[in-house]
C-alpha cells in the first residue's frame, strides 16, 4: 500500500514543483495555490477511478477540469478585481489566455486570463501522468507529462534572473521525487510461489546486464552531450515574449509633444482632475508625467516604448523614494496614455499596459470622460548638484539610442553647441550650460506653432524675432535642449506631462509642458528646466553668439593692405584701348552696333529658352520616378510657385499650415480700385497629407500611382490658378522668370 501511494505522491510533488517554477514571475501566491489544487485534483481523481474501466477516466477528469476552471476563474477574478459573470469572464479568458500571458508585464498579475493556461496544463499533465503511472504501472513513462510541464514553465520564465535565482532548488527536488517514484514502483509483484534458485540467478543476470547497459549509455551520453549542455549555461535563455507583438500606440499618442501647442492655446480646457496625496518627504506640487519620448529622427520625437499588459502591480519595487498617491479622473484628455507621477508602482481601478523602460502607463482602450483610477508612485528625489557635478554619463555604445541625431544637423546648431561647451569639463556643466543659455536668451509664449524638426529648432534659436524666432512653447525649449545636449555627448530624452497646483485638483491645458532629461551613471534620468524664470530678462542672441556662414558660401572679398592699394587698383582697372593703326579700316560705330546686336540676341535667346527649360524640368519631375519622389516634386513646385508669386511660405510652417497659407496667399495684395470676386484657390490639403506621409514614413510609406497622380493634379491646378490671379505684367514676368533655375526648393 505504501509503494502504491508513493507513485501518485511523487507525481503530485513533481506537478507542484512545475507550478512553483512558474510562480516567481507572478505577483503573490495565488498561482502556485491554484496549480497545486489542479495537481491534487487530477491525480486524486485518477487514483479514485483506477479500479473502474479505463474509458471512464477521461469523462470524469473533464468534469473535474470544468469545476476547477470555474473555481480558478472565480477566485482570480475576485482577487484581480475583474468584473463580470463567471461564464463570460471564463470565455474571454480562454480566448485571450495565450496572448495575454505572453504580453503581460513581469510580475504578472494573477487574473483569469493569466492563470487559466497554467491551471489547465497542470490538470491535463496530472491526468496523463496518473493514468500511465498508477493504472498501467509505467512509472518512468508517466514522468513525461510533468517533465514537459516543467520545461514549459522554465521556457515561459525566460531570461528573468530573479525567477532563475528563486528556483535553483527545484530541479534537484524534482529529480529526488522522480527517483523516489522509480524506487517505489520498481519491485515486481509475483502472484505465485517464491522464485527458485535458477530463476533468481537468471533474474540477477538480467538485472545486472540491464544496469550495465544503462550505465554505459549514461556514460556515452555524458561524453557526447555533456560539453554542449554545460556550454548552454553561459547563454541567455530565449524569451518567448519576443515573438509576440505587444499593444501598440496610434500616431496621436506616439508623439504627444505636438499636442502641447493646442493645449497651451486652449489654456482653460479641463483635461483631468488629480488629487495628489504626497507621503513624507515627497514634493507637494509634483509633475504628472504623460509620456517619455526617446527616439528622434531629425523631424519628430517618438515614444518608441514597449507597453506590456499589466495588472495592479507594475513591476518589482524600484528605489526607496517617498510614495505619492494620485486619484485621477479623466475629463477632456483623449488618447490612450494615462497620466501619473513617476515612477508608478501600483494602479487600481483600470487594466493598463506598462513600459518598464520609461515608467509610463497606457490604457488598453481609449480614454473616456469619467474614468477614475488610483496610481501609487515612488517619487525619486533629484540628486543634489554636488553629486551630479562629479557624475559621468554612460559610454556612447551603451546609450546610442539617446545620442542619435539622424540626418544633417544644421551648422548653426552645431556651432552653438560647440560654443556652449568651450571650457566645460564635465557632463553636468555641459547640461547646465545649455539650460542657462536657453532660459536667458529666449522667450516663453503660448501661441507659437508646433514643430521640433531641425528647421524648427534652428528658427527658434536664430530666427528673426519679427518672424517668430527666438520664442516658443516648452516644446521648442525642450527640443532645442535635447538636440544641443546630444551634440555635446549627453544621452537625452523628452518628457511630456502636466504641472499640478497645491489646493487645485483641476489640470488644464495651460498646465501642459515638456521638459528634457539627461542620463547620468548611478543616478538615472535627471530632469532639467530650460524655461525662463519669471524675473529673467531676455538677452539678445546676437550679442553673445553669431553662427559662422557655411563653408560652401564664399567669404566676402578681403581688403588689400594699404601698401598694395595702388597696385591692386591698377591691376583691377581696365587697360586703356590701344590706338588704332593707320589704315586699319576699323569702324567704331559698326563694331558697337554688331556688339549690341549680338548681346541682344544672346539675352533674347536666353529668355526664350527659360520657359522651355522650366517646362521640361517640371514635366520630368512630375512624371518620372516612384510615387514618393513625384509627390515630393509636386510639393516643391507649389513652394517654388509661392516664392515666384512673391508670397514665399515661412520656413517654420508645417505642411498642413503651408496648405492653409497657400489658400490665402493666392489672392493678390490689396490695391486701389474695384476688384472682381474670384472663387477660392484649388486646395492642396491632400498633397500636404501625402507629403507628411512621405516625410515621416519614409520607405515604409505605402504610396501608389493614383496618389502620385492626384498630387500632380493638385499642384498643377493650384499653380495655374495662382498664376492666373496675378496682374498681366506679373504673368508675363512669371513666364520668363529665370530665378527658379537656381532655386533649390
Amino acid at each position: 500500500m505504501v509503494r502504491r501511494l508513493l507513485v501518485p505522491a511523487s507525481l503530485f510533488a513533481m506537478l507542484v514543483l512545475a507550478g512553483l517554477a512558474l510562480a516567481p514571475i507572478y505577483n503573490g501566491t495565488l498561482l502556485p495555490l491554484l496549480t497545486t489544487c489542479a495537481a491534487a485534483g487530477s491525480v486524486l481523481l485518477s487514483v479514485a477511478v483506477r479500479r473502474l474501466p479505463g474509458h471512464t477516466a477521461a469523462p470524469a477528469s473533464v468534469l473535474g477540469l470544468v469545476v476547477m476552471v470555474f473555481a480558478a476563474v472565480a477566485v482570480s477574478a475576485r482577487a484581480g478585481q475583474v468584473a463580470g459573470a463567471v461564464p463570460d469572464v471564463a470565455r474571454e479568458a480562454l480566448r485571450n489566455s495565450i496572448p495575454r500571458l505572453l504580453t503581460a508585464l513581469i510580475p504578472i498579475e494573477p487574473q483569469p486570463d493569466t492563470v487559466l493556461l497554467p491551471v489547465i496544463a497542470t490538470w491535463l499533465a496530472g491526468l496523463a501522468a496518473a493514468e500511465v503511472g498508477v493504472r498501467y504501472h509505467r512509472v518512468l513513462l508517466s514522468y513525461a507529462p510533468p517533465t514537459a510541464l516543467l520545461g514549459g514553465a522554465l521556457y515561459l520564465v525566460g531570461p528573468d534572473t530573479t525567477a532563475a535565482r528563486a528556483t535553483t532548488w527545484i530541479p534537484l527536488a524534482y529529480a529526488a521525487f522522480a527517483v523516489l517514484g522509480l524506487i517505489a514502483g520498481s519491485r515486481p509483484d509475483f502472484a505465485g510461489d517464491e522464485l527458485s534458485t535458477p530463476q533468481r540467478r537468471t533474474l540477477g543476470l538480467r538485472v545486472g546486464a540491464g544496469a550495465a547497459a544503462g550505465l554505459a549509455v549514461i556514460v556515452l551520453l555524458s561524453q557526447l552531450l555533456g560539453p554542449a549542455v554545460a556550454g548552454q549555461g553561459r547563454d541567455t535563455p530565449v524569451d518567448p515574449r519576443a515573438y509576440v507583438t505587444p499593444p501598440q500606440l496610434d500616431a496621436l499618442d506616439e508623439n504627444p509633444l505636438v499636442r502641447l501647442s493646442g493645449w497651451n492655446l486652449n489654456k482653460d480646457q479641463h483635461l483631468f482632475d488629480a488629487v495628489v496625496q504626497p507621503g513624507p518627504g515627497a514634493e507637494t506640487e509634483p509633475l504628472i508625467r504623460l509620456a517619455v519620448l526617446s527616439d528622434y529622427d531629425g523631424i519628430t520625437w517618438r515614444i518608441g516604448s514597449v507597453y506590456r499588459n499589466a495588472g495592479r502591480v507594475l513591476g518589482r519595487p524600484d528605489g526607496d523614494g517617498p510614495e505619492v498617491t494620485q486619484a485621477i479622473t479623466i475629463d477632456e484628455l483623449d488618447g490612450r496614455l494615462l497620466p501619473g507621477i513617476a515612477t508608478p508602482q501600483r494602479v487600481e481601478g483600470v487594466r493598463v499596459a506598462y513600459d518598464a523602460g520609461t515608467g509610463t502607463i497606457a490604457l488598453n482602450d481609449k480614454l473616456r470622460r469619467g474614468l477614475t483610477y488610483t496610481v501609487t508612485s515612488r517619487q525619486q528625489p533629484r540628486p543634489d548638484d554636488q553629486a551630479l557635478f562629479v557624475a559621468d554619463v554612460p559610454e556612447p555604445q551603451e546609450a546610442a539610442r539617446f545620442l542619435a541625431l539622424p540626418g544633417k544637423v544644421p551648422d548653426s546648431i552645431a556651432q552653438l553647441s560647440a560654443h556652449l561647451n568651450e571650457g566645460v569639463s564635465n557632463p553636468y556643466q555641459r547640461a547646465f550650460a545649455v539650460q542657462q543659455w536657453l532660459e536667458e536668451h529666449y522667450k516663453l509664449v503660448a501661441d507659437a506653432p508646433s514643430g521640433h524638426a531641425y528647421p524648427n529648432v534652428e528658427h527658434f534659436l536664430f530666427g528673426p524675432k519679427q518672424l517668430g524666432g527666438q520664442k516658443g512653447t516648452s516644446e521648442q525649449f525642450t527640443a532645442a535642449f535635447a538636440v544641443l545636449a546630444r551634440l555635446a555627448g549627453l544621452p537625452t530624452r523628452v518628457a511630456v506631462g502636466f504641472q499640478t497646483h497645491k489646493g487645485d485638483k483641476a489640470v488644464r491645458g495651460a498646465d501642459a509642458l515638456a521638459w528634457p532629461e539627461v542620463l547620468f551613471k548611478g543616478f538615472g534620468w535627471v530632469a532639467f528646466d530650460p524655461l525662463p524664470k519669471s524675473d529673467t530678462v531676455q538677452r539678445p542672441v546676437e550679442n553673445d553668439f553669431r553662427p559662422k556662414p557655411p563653408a560652401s558660401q564664399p567669404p566676402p572679398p578681403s581688403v588689400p593692405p594699404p601698401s598694395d592699394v595702388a597696385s591692386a587698383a591698377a591691376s583691377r582697372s581696365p587697360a586703356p584701348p590701344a590706338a588704332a593703326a593707320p589704315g586699319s579700316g576699323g569702324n567704331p560705330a559698326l563694331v558697337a552696333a554688331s556688339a549690341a546686336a549680338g548681346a541682344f540676341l544672346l539675352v533674347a535667346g536666353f529668355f526664350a529658352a527659360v520657359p522651355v527649360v522650366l517646362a521640361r524640368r517640371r514635366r520630368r519631375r512630375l512624371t518620372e520616378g516612384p510615387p514618393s519622389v513625384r509627390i515630393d516634386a509636386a510639393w516643391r513646385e507649389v513652394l517654388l510657385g509661392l516664392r515666384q508669386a512673391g508670397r514665399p511660405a515661412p520656413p517654420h510652417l508645417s505642411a498642413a499650415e503651408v496648405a492653409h497659407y497657400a489658400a490665402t496667399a493666392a489672392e493678390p495684395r490689396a490695391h486701389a480700385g474695384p476688384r472682381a470676386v474670384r472663387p477660392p484657390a484649388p486646395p492642396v490639403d491632400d498633397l500636404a497629407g501625402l507629403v507628411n506621409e512621405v516625410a515621416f514614413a519614409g520607405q515604409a510609406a505605402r504610396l501608389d500611382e493614383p496618389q502620385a497622380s492626384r498630387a500632380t493634379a493638385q499642384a498643377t491646378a493650384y499653380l495655374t490658378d495662382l498664376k492666373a490671379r496675378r496682374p498681366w505684367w506679373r504673368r508675363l514676368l512669371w513666364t520668363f522668370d529665370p530665378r527658379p533655375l537656381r532655386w533649390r526648393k
Side-chain angles (χ1 to χ4, degrees):
M1 179 62 66
V2 173
R3 286 191 290 108
R4 289 176 179 175
L5 291 178
L6 283 178
V7 173
S10 299
L11 294 175
F12 166 73
M14 295 164 70
L15 294 170
V16 171
L17 290 173
L20 292 177
L22 192 62
I25 66 172
Y26 277 80
N27 181 51
T29 60
L30 181 58
L31 178 77
L33 290 176
L34 292 176
T35 55
T36 300
C37 293
S42 61
V43 172
L44 290 177
L45 187 60
S46 295
V47 172
V49 300
R50 74 183 188 280
R51 297 189 181 278
L52 299 177
H55 64 272
T56 61
S61 186
V62 168
L63 292 177
L65 178 59
V66 170
V67 175
M68 184 66 212
V69 165
F70 273 85
V73 168
V75 173
S76 59
R78 184 168 58 252
Q81 298 180 353
V82 178
V86 174
D88 296 336
V89 175
R91 185 165 49 252
E92 194 272 341
L94 286 171
R95 184 171 59 250
N96 299 321
S97 59
I98 294 179
R100 274 281 294 170
L101 190 59
L102 292 180
T103 58
L105 178 76
I106 296 176
I108 302 172
E109 183 75 11
Q111 293 178 337
D113 48 7
T114 59
V115 303
L116 211 52
L117 182 62
V119 167
I120 294 176
T122 302
W123 185 282
L124 295 178
L127 168 65
E131 284 296 301
V132 174
V134 177
R135 184 184 295 274
Y136 299 104
H137 306 290
R138 299 293 187 265
V139 179
L140 185 59
L141 185 60
S142 68
Y143 290 170
T147 303
L149 184 66
L150 177 62
L154 295 177
Y155 178 74
L156 189 60
V157 168
D160 190 273
T161 56
T162 303
R165 288 193 297 267
T167 57
T168 52
W169 59 274
I170 288 181
L172 298 177
Y174 188 89
F177 282 109
V179 170
L180 179 63
L182 288 175
I183 293 174
S186 63
R187 181 177 177 180
D189 294 330
F190 296 100
D193 298 332
E194 293 293 333
L195 295 177
S196 62
T197 300
Q199 290 175 331
R200 290 177 181 277
R201 187 181 300 111
T202 302
L203 180 61
L205 291 175
R206 291 174 59 184
V207 172
L215 180 61
V217 170
I218 292 175
V219 172
L220 180 63
L221 291 177
S222 65
Q223 293 297 320
L224 295 177
L225 303 179
V229 174
Q232 295 296 317
R234 303 184 185 93
D235 298 338
T236 301
V238 176
D239 191 355
R241 297 160 189 82
Y243 302 109
V244 180
T245 303
Q248 302 295 314
L249 297 178
D250 53 22
L252 178 67
D253 290 326
E254 188 65 24
N255 181 19
L257 190 61
V258 300
R259 307 178 66 185
L260 285 178
S261 59
W263 284 331
N264 292 157
L265 282 176
N266 193 7
K267 60 182 180 179
D268 294 327
Q269 181 183 9
H270 186 204
L271 300 176
F272 60 92
D273 289 330
V275 179
V276 181
Q277 298 178 354
E283 298 180 15
T284 56
E285 298 181 11
L287 292 173
I288 295 182
R289 193 164 59 181
L290 181 69
V292 173
L293 298 85
S294 304
D295 299 332
Y296 185 56
D297 58 3
I299 298 176
T300 183
W301 286 88
R302 289 188 176 88
I303 290 179
S305 299
V306 179
Y307 286 93
R308 295 196 174 274
N309 293 317
R312 290 172 297 172
V313 178
L314 306 179
R316 298 187 174 95
D318 183 18
D320 54 355
E323 284 193 351
V324 182
T325 302
Q326 315 116 66
I328 297 178
T329 302
I330 301 297
D331 190 7
E332 297 183 31
L333 182 66
D334 53 0
R336 287 181 53 198
L337 297 173
L338 286 175
I341 296 175
T343 302
Q345 299 288 309
R346 189 178 182 90
V347 176
E348 303 277 355
V350 290
R351 298 185 67 173
V352 301
Y354 180 66
D355 176 42
T358 60
T360 55
I361 50 180
L363 196 65
N364 293 324
D365 301 319
K366 295 289 186 180
L367 297 182
R368 62 184 185 276
R369 179 170 293 182
L371 176 68
T372 301
Y373 61 96
T374 303
V375 182
T376 302
S377 304
R378 190 169 291 277
Q379 195 177 66
Q380 301 300 323
R382 177 186 171 87
D384 59 73
D385 293 343
Q386 294 298 326
L388 291 174
F389 191 84
V390 296
D392 202 355
V393 296
E395 298 297 328
Q397 59 272 18
E398 300 176 11
R401 177 185 183 186
F402 308 107
L403 292 169
L405 288 172
K408 176 66 171 66
V409 180
D411 294 335
S412 57
I413 301 178
Q415 292 172 20
L416 177 58
S417 177
H419 171 74
L420 296 177
N421 285 280
E422 292 179 357
V424 179
S425 60
N426 60 60
Y428 178 68
Q429 283 183 310
R430 295 200 295 269
F432 185 77
V434 175
Q435 172 182 298
Q436 190 174 27
W437 173 268
L438 293 175
E439 67 182 10
E440 290 181 355
H441 292 84
Y442 303 95
K443 183 179 180 181
L444 179 65
V445 297
D447 57 351
S450 176
H452 45 264
Y454 287 146
N456 301 100
V457 175
E458 186 178 26
H459 180 75
F460 167 72
L461 292 174
F462 307 108
K465 294 182 179 179
Q466 62 272 20
L467 296 180
Q470 303 181 33
K471 60 183 178 181
T473 65
S474 59
E475 174 187 357
Q476 283 75 42
F477 278 87
T478 302
F481 182 101
V483 173
L484 292 171
R486 288 194 174 190
L487 286 171
L490 302 175
T492 311
R493 68 184 188 183
V494 171
V496 177
F498 307 92
Q499 176 69 54
T500 59
H501 303 283
K502 188 176 181 181
D504 186 5
K505 65 179 182 179
V507 177
R508 300 176 175 85
D511 300 321
L513 76 161
W515 64 91
E517 296 179 347
V518 180
L519 180 61
F520 290 93
K521 282 185 177 179
F523 298 100
W525 291 100
V526 178
F528 284 80
D529 182 14
L531 303 182
K533 309 303 181 287
S534 58
D535 57 347
T536 301
V537 178
Q538 183 182 2
R539 296 165 51 186
V541 176
E542 297 78 8
N543 292 353
D544 296 332
F545 176 76
R546 289 181 180 270
K548 298 179 181 179
S552 59
Q553 180 177 342
S558 58
V559 179
S563 59
D564 296 334
V565 169
S567 60
S571 63
R572 291 196 299 269
S573 61
S584 60
N587 190 338
L590 181 60
V591 172
S594 301
F600 174 80
L601 292 176
L602 183 63
V603 172
F606 172 78
F607 281 100
V610 165
V612 178
V613 175
L614 288 176
R616 292 185 59 185
R617 187 179 69 172
R618 184 180 300 111
R619 183 168 57 254
R620 185 180 67 254
R621 287 180 174 179
L622 297 179
T623 59
E624 297 178 3
S628 60
V629 174
R630 292 161 57 191
I631 291 171
D632 184 71
W635 184 251
R636 289 174 180 268
E637 291 297 328
V638 171
L639 296 180
L640 287 174
L642 288 171
R643 189 173 179 182
Q644 201 170 0
R647 298 290 185 87
H652 64 280
L653 296 183
S654 64
E657 293 168 336
V658 170
H660 178 71
Y661 173 84
T664 59
E667 290 294 335
R669 291 186 172 89
H671 61 280
R675 183 175 58 181
V677 178
R678 302 179 63 96
V684 290
D685 296 332
D686 292 345
L687 175 57
L690 293 173
V691 167
N692 278 333
E693 188 172 354
V694 171
F696 294 116
Q699 297 180 355
R702 298 179 179 177
L703 301 172
D704 50 20
E705 288 295 328
Q707 291 174 311
S709 300
R710 188 167 72 251
T712 301
Q714 278 201 355
T716 304
Y718 176 80
L719 292 175
T720 303
D721 184 85
L722 181 65
K723 182 178 178 181
R725 292 171 185 264
R726 303 300 103 185
W728 67 269
W729 59 272
R730 289 297 298 266
R731 294 197 299 271
L732 182 62
L733 293 177
W734 186 303
T735 304
F736 300 98
D737 190 358
R739 293 179 299 167
L741 294 175
R742 61 183 179 85
W743 288 344
R744 291 180 296 176
K745 293 185 179 181

